């Protein structure tokens, strides 16, 4: 994510016009510009940082090289930076402790976020070491819920470039903008157009905090090297008037562009990514509006290496929780009736993956769909609903039932065993609804998945207290531990996408997967559910502890890589003999490396030439 020193922007040394590769497209002929590639073939897994020509000041200024006071005296002297640092040499462990003391001085979460982003701008290794060592405390700061506040205040907290802004005015020149990014070895891109940031709505260019935060977790939790990550915001305007009126707003001050111009810009962007970074560069779509999210996923999923985390990542982590809950309810997934509050991209993604999982249990598809009831702003989704509001994705789950207007009525009619909220309507799971769930089920499954915390359908305490402490609860935002009247301790699991997307991306990159089908998503969900221990379930948690999330990523990546080779979707050859060892070998190390190139002796018995 950090720019390399200016003298080393072009690492290939190969003229752009000298590298060509044909692209397989859907029945149309490739143009010359579409066939042109900046890099082809299998890439190495190095750190992307040449040592020749780097000055000592480069090591102090570049966040990927800077070690702060951890530079040894020898390194300081030979790099010519001796005296520019205080004389004491610190260990990284001492620096981590100082970071903890420093961030604890701030009470406001936004100030904690600003501190962490400043640390990332100064010293990448220390930032990722600090986050990795304190995952449970730092993840709510680096990502949800604090990142939502950071996006709302992005014009205030913005300090330095941490990604690319591509605007509608750059149409026709997207590739030229990509070339301005100083790293050429980019393996993972997170892109947003800012239209649906978490549950906060259209934040336009201020949505850049999401790709930045997401890719920080790619590295901290998945070990993907920072220089291989690129955050991108597509700025086509915003329809939020308060943003347009805000003097600190950093984006285009115009209403959001839609229609053919928008589609052409996105098409050009995807082609430019392939031309610049290769066909197997992962593009994760994040926080696009519902109408565009489904449409773009269907449009690009079989042509590019891409997935939508709001649809597919949320689905995988939710289904993982449901699969883990089956060990407590002693049921099959197909034995459940599931009611969704919401029918947007997250809810529909979860529902589709549930259908896939039920089919894996031997349930016919139509029967599986009949076990899923979805409620949107117009009520229960039913066939020929008078209020309308159905699209092709919703119609697949339309019940053959009379219209039902409210969630409480739907719960009364459907008598579900699982209740999932993904509509960002805070408090939607009322005490009345929760008590009904307890009346219908010995162990009702309640998932309040909406972010941030203010948008959660209910709190953990509300779920437990209104079900006689019998609920199996998970949430999208973190909630504190809960102690029941009998003294039992519950640790509500957070169904955070961070359990899925770092490991999924790591596996995709390690295997060189070119397109990502839904079987990879279900495989990731199953892998995560298997990691949940009996001790976790005993405390009511459907997910492993957050401090284990990096190990979870490796185990998920291993499943992804092995499945890719078994299905012929891996482009990295030959297949590694030890999959886990291979994956770990590609991962970023948070430990400091040597600042000096290796030195080694040469023989001194070379023949000498007499000087006349």
């Amino acid at each position: 994510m950090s720019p390399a020193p200016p003298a080393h922007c072009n690492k290939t040394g190969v003229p752009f016009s000298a590298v060509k590769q044909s692209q397989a497209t859907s029945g149309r002929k490739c143009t010359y510009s579409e066939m042109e590639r900046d890099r082809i073939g299998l890439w190495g897994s190095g750190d992307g940082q040449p040592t020749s020509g780097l000055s000592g000041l480069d090591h102090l200024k570049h966040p990927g090289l800077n070690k702060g006071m951890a530079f040894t005296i020898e390194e300081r002297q030979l790099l010519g930076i001796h005296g520019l640092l205080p004389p004491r040499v610190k260990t990284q462990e001492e620096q981590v402790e100082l970071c903890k003391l420093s961030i604890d001085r701030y009470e406001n979460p936004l100030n904690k976020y600003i501190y962490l982003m400043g640390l990332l701008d100064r010293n990448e290794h220390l930032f990722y070491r600090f986050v990795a060592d304190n995952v449970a405390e730092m993840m709510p700061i680096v990502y949800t819920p604090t990142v939502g506040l950071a996006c709302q205040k992005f014009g205030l907290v913005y300090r330095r470039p941490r990604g690319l802004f591509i605007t509608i005015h750059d149409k026709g020149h997207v590739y030229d903008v990509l070339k301005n990014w100083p790293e050429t070895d980019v393996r993972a891109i997170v892109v947003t157009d800012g239209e649906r940031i978490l549950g906060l709505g259209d934040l336009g260019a201020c949505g850049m905090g999401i790709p930045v935060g997401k890719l920080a977790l790619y590295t901290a939790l998945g070990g993907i090297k920072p220089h291989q990550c690129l955050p991108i915001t597509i700025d086509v305007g915003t329809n939020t008037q308060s943003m347009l009126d805000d003097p600190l707003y950093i984006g285009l001050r115009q209403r959001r562009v839609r229609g053919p111009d928008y589609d052409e810009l996105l098409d050009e962007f995807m082609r430019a990514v392939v031309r610049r970074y290769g066909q197997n560069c992962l593009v994760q779509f994040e926080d696009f509006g519902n109408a565009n999210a489904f449409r773009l996923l269907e449009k690009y999923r079989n042509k590019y290496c891409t997935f939508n985390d709001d649809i597919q990542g949320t689905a995988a982590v939710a289904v993982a929780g449901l699969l883990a809950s089956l060990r407590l309810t002693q049921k099959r997934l197909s034995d459940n009736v599931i009611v969704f509050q919401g029918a947007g991209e997250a809810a529909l993604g979860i529902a589709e993956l549930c259908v896939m999982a039920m089919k894996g249990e031997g349930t016919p598809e139509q029967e599986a769909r009949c076990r899923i009831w979805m409620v949107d702003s117009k009520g229960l989704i039913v066939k020929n609903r008078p209020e309308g509001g159905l699209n092709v994705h919703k119609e697949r789950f339309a019940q053959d039932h009379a219209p039902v207007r409210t969630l409480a009525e739907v719960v009364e009619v459907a008598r579900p065993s699982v209740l999932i909220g993904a509509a960002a309507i805070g408090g939607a799971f009322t005490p009345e609804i929760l008590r009904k769930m307890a009346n219908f089920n010995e162990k009702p499954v309640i998932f309040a998945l909406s972010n941030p915390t203010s948008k959660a359908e209910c709190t953990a305490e509300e779920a437990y207290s209104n079900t006689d402490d019998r609920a199996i609860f998970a949430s999208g935002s973190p909630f504190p531990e809960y102690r029941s009247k009998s003294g039992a301790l519950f640790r509500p699991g957070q169904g955070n996408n961070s359990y899925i997307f770092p490991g999924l991306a790591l596996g995709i990159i390690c295997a060189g997967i070119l397109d990502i089908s839904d079987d990879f998503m279900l495989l990731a969900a199953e892998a995560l559910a298997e990691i949940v221990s009996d001790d976790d379930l005993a405390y009511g948690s459907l997910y492993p502890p957050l401090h284990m999330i990096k190990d979870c990523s490796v185990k998920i990546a291993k499943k992804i890589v092995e499945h890719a080779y078994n299905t012929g979707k891996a482009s990295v050859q030959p297949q590694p003999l030890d999959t886990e060892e291979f994956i770990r070998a590609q991962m970023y190390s948070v430990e400091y490396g040597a600042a000096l190139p290796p030195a080694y002796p040469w023989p001194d018995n070379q023949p000498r030439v007499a000087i006349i």
Side-chain angles (χ1 to χ4, degrees):
M1 287 170 61
S2 57
H8 303 285
C9 294
N10 182 4
K11 298 184 177 65
T12 64
V14 181
F16 298 138
S17 60
V19 183
K20 308 286 192 298
Q21 178 183 345
S22 61
Q23 177 188 16
T25 56
S26 301
R28 64 180 179 83
K29 188 175 181 180
C30 293
T31 64
Y32 179 86
S33 62
E34 288 173 333
M35 291 190 290
E36 191 173 15
R37 299 288 186 275
D38 290 349
R39 295 186 69 168
I40 60 173
L42 298 179
W43 298 2
S45 60
D47 60 11
Q49 193 62 252
T51 56
S52 59
L54 289 176
S55 71
L57 287 178
D58 286 331
H59 284 80
L60 286 178
K61 293 179 179 179
H62 189 270
L65 303 174
N66 185 24
K67 298 198 286 187
M69 291 178 64
F71 283 108
T72 66
I73 297 299
E74 181 187 20
E75 288 173 336
R76 299 179 192 194
Q77 291 174 341
L78 294 179
L79 290 172
I81 58 174
H82 190 59
L84 299 182
L85 295 167
R88 180 180 171 187
V89 176
K90 287 189 174 185
T91 65
Q92 193 179 50
E93 289 72 21
E94 290 175 314
Q95 291 178 312
V96 168
E97 183 60 31
L98 177 60
C99 291
K100 189 72 168 67
L101 293 172
S102 298
I103 200 169
D104 285 347
R105 293 176 58 245
Y106 298 106
E107 295 182 0
N108 187 321
L110 186 60
N111 288 335
K112 293 176 184 281
Y113 175 88
I114 293 172
Y115 171 81
L116 285 176
M117 290 301 104
L119 178 61
L120 179 58
D121 289 341
R122 296 190 305 273
N123 187 330
E124 278 183 358
H125 286 85
L126 183 56
F127 169 84
Y128 290 116
R129 169 72 185 272
F130 180 55
V131 172
D133 285 359
N134 301 274
V135 173
E137 297 90 344
M138 294 304 113
M139 200 159 73
I141 306 298
V142 175
Y143 205 60
T144 182
T146 304
V147 73
L149 178 60
C151 287
Q152 290 176 305
K153 304 289 186 183
F154 203 73
L156 182 66
V157 305
Y158 179 79
R159 295 292 184 270
R160 68 182 287 274
R162 289 225 63 87
L164 282 177
F165 292 88
I166 299 172
T167 76
I168 190 66
H169 303 321
D170 298 315
K171 189 164 165 276
H173 302 279
V174 173
Y175 172 72
D176 299 316
V177 177
L178 287 181
K179 283 173 62 179
N180 289 337
W181 186 249
E183 292 289 351
T184 59
D185 182 16
V186 172
R187 313 288 179 95
I189 291 172
V190 174
V191 60
T192 185
D193 70 352
E195 186 173 6
R196 195 200 62 83
I197 298 299
L198 300 175
L200 303 172
D202 186 353
L203 301 187
C206 288
M208 177 58 98
I210 295 297
V212 170
K214 208 85 172 184
L215 286 169
L217 297 181
Y218 264 50
T219 301
L221 308 181
I224 297 170
K225 298 181 175 75
H227 77 278
Q228 296 176 345
C229 299
L230 173 56
I232 294 180
T233 291
I234 306 287
D235 186 0
V236 296
T238 177
N239 290 341
T240 301
Q241 193 60 45
S242 60
M243 285 287 172
L244 296 174
D245 295 338
D246 185 353
L248 297 180
Y249 181 60
I250 62 171
L252 297 179
R253 293 184 183 275
Q254 64 179 48
R255 308 297 288 182
R256 185 169 284 276
V257 173
R258 302 192 186 278
D261 285 343
Y262 177 90
D263 288 349
E264 290 168 8
L265 177 65
L266 266 293
D267 288 345
E268 182 186 351
F269 166 72
M270 296 301 286
R271 291 195 301 268
V273 166
V274 170
R275 179 181 175 186
R276 183 66 175 159
Y277 304 121
Q279 188 73 43
N280 60 342
C281 178
L282 171 63
V283 180
Q284 178 193 316
F285 281 72
E286 187 75 24
D287 286 353
F288 282 69
N290 287 353
N292 287 325
F294 285 106
R295 186 173 60 86
L296 295 175
L297 177 60
E298 292 302 317
K299 184 177 185 179
Y300 296 137
R301 66 187 309 171
N302 295 320
K303 299 179 183 178
Y304 301 98
C305 179
T306 185
F307 74 95
N308 184 303
D309 189 55
D310 303 301
I311 299 173
Q312 297 166 286
T314 300
V317 77
V319 170
L322 291 176
L323 295 176
S325 76
L326 302 180
R327 290 157 60 185
L328 293 173
T329 61
Q330 297 298 305
K331 295 180 179 179
R332 299 184 311 151
L333 186 61
S334 302
D335 297 331
N336 289 279
V337 174
I338 306 173
V339 166
F340 284 85
Q341 167 61 39
E345 51 194 90
L348 286 167
I350 299 168
E352 288 290 354
L353 201 61
C354 282
V355 170
M356 189 174 182
M358 290 181 187
K359 288 170 62 179
E361 294 176 336
T363 303
E365 179 173 341
Q366 192 53 45
E367 181 181 336
R369 293 186 183 278
C370 287
R371 304 193 73 81
I372 296 174
W373 299 55
M374 309 198 77
V375 180
D376 64 9
S377 60
K378 299 180 185 297
L380 177 65
I381 293 177
V382 297
K383 297 176 181 177
N384 303 314
R385 186 169 64 179
E387 295 86 353
L390 301 182
N391 56 37
V392 63
H393 303 286
K394 293 182 180 182
E395 286 175 348
R396 294 172 185 160
F397 294 96
Q399 293 287 333
D400 190 6
H401 195 280
V404 182
R405 190 71 187 90
T406 68
L407 175 63
E409 292 173 309
V410 172
V411 169
E412 185 67 42
V413 171
R415 301 175 71 89
S417 52
V418 178
L419 183 61
I420 299 176
I425 301 176
F429 295 169
T430 63
E432 175 193 8
I433 290 175
L434 294 170
R435 284 193 287 269
K436 284 182 180 179
M437 290 292 295
N439 291 337
F440 299 150
N441 305 279
E442 177 62 30
K443 294 181 178 180
V445 179
I446 311 291
F447 280 16
L449 299 180
S450 293
N451 288 312
T453 309
S454 61
K455 301 290 186 180
E457 288 75 15
C458 68
T459 65
E461 181 178 359
E462 290 167 344
Y464 292 127
S465 62
N466 286 290
T467 59
D468 301 322
D469 301 328
R470 290 185 282 115
I472 299 172
F473 178 79
S475 60
S477 291
F479 284 105
E481 294 179 347
Y482 170 83
R483 191 169 291 278
S484 69
K485 294 177 183 178
S486 64
L489 183 64
F490 292 90
R491 294 171 180 159
Q494 183 186 356
N496 194 303
N497 293 19
S498 300
Y499 280 108
I500 292 292
F501 68 76
L504 179 66
L506 179 62
I508 290 167
I509 292 170
C510 287
I513 298 171
L514 299 182
D515 65 276
I516 306 160
S517 49
D518 282 335
D519 53 330
F520 286 101
M521 297 297 168
L522 183 56
L523 185 68
E526 292 169 344
L528 178 57
E530 290 173 4
I531 297 170
V532 180
S533 69
D534 291 340
D535 286 342
D536 296 329
L537 295 175
Y539 285 105
S541 180
L542 301 178
Y543 298 97
L546 284 173
H547 68 81
M548 291 181 57
I549 202 165
K550 197 162 188 176
D551 287 333
C552 293
S553 296
V554 173
K555 292 177 181 178
I556 290 171
K558 181 181 178 183
K559 295 276 190 181
I560 296 298
V561 171
E562 289 173 346
H563 185 64
Y565 282 105
N566 291 337
T567 57
K569 286 199 169 185
S571 65
V572 174
Q573 298 295 335
Q575 180 175 354
L577 296 176
D578 187 321
T579 303
E580 183 171 335
E581 183 180 357
F582 173 74
I583 290 169
R584 291 187 181 277
Q586 318 312 315
M587 294 172 67
Y588 175 73
S589 172
V590 298
E591 306 294 334
Y592 292 134
L596 300 172
Y600 45 92
W602 271 37
D604 58 1
N605 58 349
Q606 299 297 314
R608 300 180 180 275
V609 178
I611 299 177
I612 300 176

